[in-house]
Amino acid sequence: MGAKLLCLFLASALVAYYVYIPIPEDFEEPWKVMLIAAAFRAATHLAEVADQLGLIHHVEALMLITTVEYIAPTSDENVTVMDTEFNNVGVRLYLPRKLSDGLRRAVVYFHGGGWCIGQAGMKPYDRLTRWTSNRLNAVVVSVNYRLAPKYRFPVQFEDVYLVMKFFLQRSVLSQYGVDPDRVCVAGDSAGGNLAAAVAQQLLEDSEVETKLKAQALLYPVLQSLDLNLPSYQENENKPVLSKLYMVRLWSEYFTSDSSLREAMASNRHVPVESSHLFPFVNWSNLLPEELKKGHVYTSPTYGSSELAQKYPGFLDPRAAPLLASDAWLRRLPLTYILTCEHDVLRDDGVMYARRLRAAGVPVTHDHAKDAFHGAMLFVLGPIELAVGHRLVNRYIKWLNENL
C-alpha cells in the first residue's frame, strides 16, 4: 500500500511539474492557460520524439491534431456551409441564410498554423468563420492552402493569392451576391502573414480591378529578419508559441535544411548584402517606449550569403510583409491589427501598425495586454477562455463597423 501511495505521489508530482509554468498576473484564468500550454508542449514533445525515432516528420505528427479537430461542412439554421474549390484550391464557403436588403459583405480568411498545420475545417476555425458569417450576414471564404513540409514557400502564398484573385472577379462576386466595395482579407498568425502579403501583392496586379476595402491581421507573423525582438526575448517560453518553435516554423516554411534553422535561432541568418532591409524592422525606432522596457538595440550580426542564396524566401516581402517599402504601404486599405502582450509575434504587429500609420493608412491597433498567441481559438470546447471571447467579439465588431 505504501509503495502504491509513493508511486501515486511521484506521478502526481511529475504531472504537476509538467503542467505548472509561471503565468503573468494579468491572465484571468491561469490554470486553464497552464493546461493549454501543457497540452501544446506534450504534443510538440511527442511529435519531436516520433521525428527523432524516424517514425514520422514532426509536422506531420502535429497534423494528426488537425485530423482529430476536423469537422465536416455542416449547415445550420443561420449559415449554409460547403466545401468547394476556387482556382483548384480547396475552400470552405459560409453563405448566410438571412435575407439581405442589398449586396452582402465578404471576408476571405486564411487560417494559422505556421504554414505547416491547420485547415479551414478545424473546429476553432469553423466556429470563427461561421460566427463571422452569421453575425455580419456576410459571405466568408476560408482557404485550405497547401502546407509545409510537403510544399514550401511560395506555394502557400500562391494558393491563397489564386483564391483571392478568383473571388475578386466581378462575375464571381455577383454569383455570391457580394458588394465589390466591401471585401476584406483576414487571417491569424501565419494566416495573418498571408493576408498582409496578399493585400500588398494585389496592389501590383493590373488584372485585378476590385480593390480590397479592408485587411484584418490577428497576431500576425510579419518578418524573419530579426528574431530577437523584445517580444521574442520576453515571451521566449510563454504559451503557446515559444521562440524556438517559431524559429522552427519559419525554417520549415523554406526548407528542411537544419543549417537555416540553426542560423535563425542564433539570429545570424541575414547576409550583409541585405543590410538595407533592417530599417524596416528596427524596433528601436518603431516600438513605443512601454514595449522597449529597457532593451538595448544592437546592430545586426550578419550571416552567410550562401543561405540567402539557397533560401531567398526569408528576404521576400511575400513571406515577410514588413519588408515592403513605404511606397507600397501607403496604398493599402483600412487595417485592423490585433497584437497580444504575451506573444513572441507582438512586436511584428506593433511595428507594422506604426509603419502603416506613418504611411497614411487608417489603422486600428487593438493590443490585448491579457492575452497570448492563439487565444482567439479557445472559445468553445473542453477549455474555454473568457479572453478568447472578448478578442473574437472585438474583431467581429470592428468588421461590422468598418466593412
Side-chain angles (χ1 to χ4, degrees), residues 58-245:
H58 85 281
V59 169
E60 294 173 345
L62 289 175
M63 275 298 291
L64 296 175
I65 300 172
T66 299
T67 304
V68 171
E69 282 284 285
Y70 175 80
I71 183 170
T74 306
S75 301
D76 58 32
E77 67 274 14
N78 299 312
V79 182
T80 298
V81 183
M82 66 183 76
D83 285 346
T84 185
E85 291 186 351
F86 284 177
N87 252 345
N88 298 314
V89 178
V91 301
R92 180 163 289 193
L93 275 177
Y94 298 83
L95 307 174
R97 294 176 183 261
K98 295 179 201 169
L99 294 176
S100 176
D101 294 334
L103 296 175
R104 302 181 192 274
R105 300 175 278 193
V107 177
V108 180
Y109 194 88
F110 309 142
H111 67 77
W115 311 280
C116 297
I117 59 178
Q119 61 169 294
M122 282 181 68
K123 290 175 185 175
Y125 287 116
D126 181 75
R127 293 174 193 132
L128 178 61
T129 44
R130 183 185 299 269
W131 288 352
T132 303
S133 177
N134 181 39
R135 290 168 63 177
L136 298 181
N137 198 18
V139 173
V140 176
V141 181
S142 189
V143 184
N144 273 319
Y145 53 89
R146 288 172 289 177
L147 301 169
K150 187 174 182 180
Y151 302 99
R152 308 285 184 183
F153 173 83
V155 169
Q156 291 83 342
F157 169 80
E158 290 170 344
D159 280 358
V160 296
Y161 193 74
L162 281 171
V163 168
M164 194 80 240
K165 193 168 178 177
F166 177 86
F167 186 67
L168 289 178
Q169 295 177 94
R170 294 278 174 160
S171 59
V172 176
L173 295 173
S174 176
Q175 176 184 346
Y176 292 104
V178 172
D179 186 340
D181 295 323
R182 303 179 78 187
V183 180
C184 173
V185 65
D188 67 295
S189 193
N193 167 284
L194 294 169
V198 163
Q200 291 180 5
Q201 194 71 20
L202 285 171
L203 300 174
E204 300 298 307
D205 195 333
S206 59
E207 296 179 357
V208 180
E209 297 179 359
T210 304
K211 304 300 181 185
L212 292 176
K213 172 73 179 293
Q215 61 175 339
L217 314 177
L218 311 174
Y219 31 80
V221 49
L222 297 169
Q223 61 85 34
S224 58
L225 247 68
D226 188 350
L227 299 178
N228 201 37
L229 301 170
S231 60
Y232 272 89
Q233 296 178 50
E234 294 167 19
N235 302 307
E236 183 175 6
N237 294 304
K238 297 276 184 72
V240 297
L241 183 65
S242 70
K243 174 181 176 177
L244 284 180
Y245 205 72

